[in-house]
Amino acid sequence: MQYRDKKITVVGLARSGVGAANLLSGLGADVTVTDTKTEGELAGKIMRLSPSVRRALGGHPDDIFTSADLIVISPGIPLGIGPLAKARGKGVPVIGELELAYNVLEVRRRENAAGMPFLAVTGSNGKSTTTTLLDQMVKKAGFRSIFGGNIGNALTEEILQTGEGPSPDFVVAEVSSFQLETITAFRPRVAAILNVTPDHMDRYHSLSEYADAKARIFENQRGGDFLVLNADDPGTTAIAKEKLKGRREGPEVFYFSRRQKVKGIYCTGGTVLCNVPHLDADVTLVGSAEIGIKGVHNLENAMAASAMALLAGCPAKAVAESLREFQGLEHRLEFVRTLEGVRYINDSKGTNVGAVMKSIESFSDPLILIAGGRDKAGDFSELRDAVSRKVKALVLIGEAAGKIKDALGGVAATVMARDLKEAVKACRKMAERGDVVLLSPACASFDMFRDFEDRGRQFKKIVMGLGENE
């Protein structure tokens, strides 16, 4: 679609909504943004909007949906809300901010005859770490990139900042199931599905429906494209096999694995080896102990990023150097401090059961686990085995505390805390030298905090405030 003079409604005034509205306005569209929040609640976002963007806030008027030429929605907006359903019933196309960014960049690619292929990462856990590491590898190899997506900086904002300068070589994007629900043409050159474990079950009716959304990342891939899958994750390989079956043309599939030799990247005997085009078979990349980010899940993330970077044409040397240098992201198994022989770890991004299971498995020392928050319809009973083997005590907070306690049924000593500060103090009293206090909530944060970053930073502040001789 050419956007000039088109009436376009942007739904949701979060970061992606602001980026989409400003980009469309700059392309000459007649843009209206709408949000159920009021002008006062959105004052900070409104300040970042282009003056030409109209606003319809405090609700969703039907007429700006049904009269639009195009509707662009933020990832958090369910497709089933009334005004969207009415507009779709009248044939108004509805896309997400990811699809918009892809379409705009495709137009630029055709006009400039310059490649801007997408390298796109999805999965239930590990997306942000993998995407950030992949972008570092791309840049280490000397390529220019746009970096964004679900990771927190909207791709439309990044496109605006590139202006008319040199075209990037790659777009490195973290993409969520919510974003993939609304794609039409989105086609990454290299795509990866890291894992598929239950998450957002408050939005999806089943794990199968959630997995189907993830699988859309390779829906439009064709010959010459690559798909990277986790060979150790049955859900990932099963969904890909099902969706690729019978397709006349599809991506070439590569794998990463901690447990077996595969076509792609694998680890054996403490060594990470690669088997991809343009390299000799079974080339040693790095020793697993050399990788800067630690933990079993981070080994998987590191291998996934490496496979994608190598398939995109990055030299093995740049990939290996990035693996050694990258130290990880805030709120992902982030070391906070050691106090009286006890390590405190911030894993606030552990917002679902699958993420917490892998975080627990990353430690050999006894754990005191702080969990709880707003439930996303997770099955906390799946934590029973890991908790019984690794966790000496549970400290539970938030709306889901009672549900977690019931699900785990006494497999570890359990303390109920009113808030995070009380939880940390309880951990301090129970912890012995050699223990690890791990914040890995298995829940969303919105019952007590603005977001997972706010939760993690408050945890770090409380931990750093603990006195040596309290």
Side-chain angles (χ1 to χ4, degrees), residues 252-256 261-266 272-285 306-307 310-311:
E252 186 174 1
V253 181
F254 289 83
Y255 297 90
F256 61 94
K261 181 177 177 178
V262 294
K263 173 188 172 185
I265 303 281
Y266 60 98
V272 177
L273 299 101
C274 52
N275 178 9
V276 297
H278 76 260
L279 292 177
D280 293 333
D282 305 321
V283 171
T284 297
L285 197 58
S306 299
L310 291 168
L311 291 168

Side-chain angles (χ1 to χ4, degrees), residues 320-357:
E321 288 178 359
S322 297
L323 288 172
R324 296 185 184 100
E325 294 171 1
F326 183 64
Q327 296 300 308
L329 299 177
E330 188 180 19
H331 313 302
R332 284 89 169 168
L333 286 184
E334 177 193 10
F335 172 75
V336 180
R337 73 180 293 195
T338 298
L339 176 62
E340 296 176 348
V342 177
R343 285 184 293 153
Y344 290 79
I345 305 293
N346 168 30
D347 191 43
S348 183
K349 189 60 171 69
T351 59
N352 61 57
V353 169
V356 177
M357 288 175 67

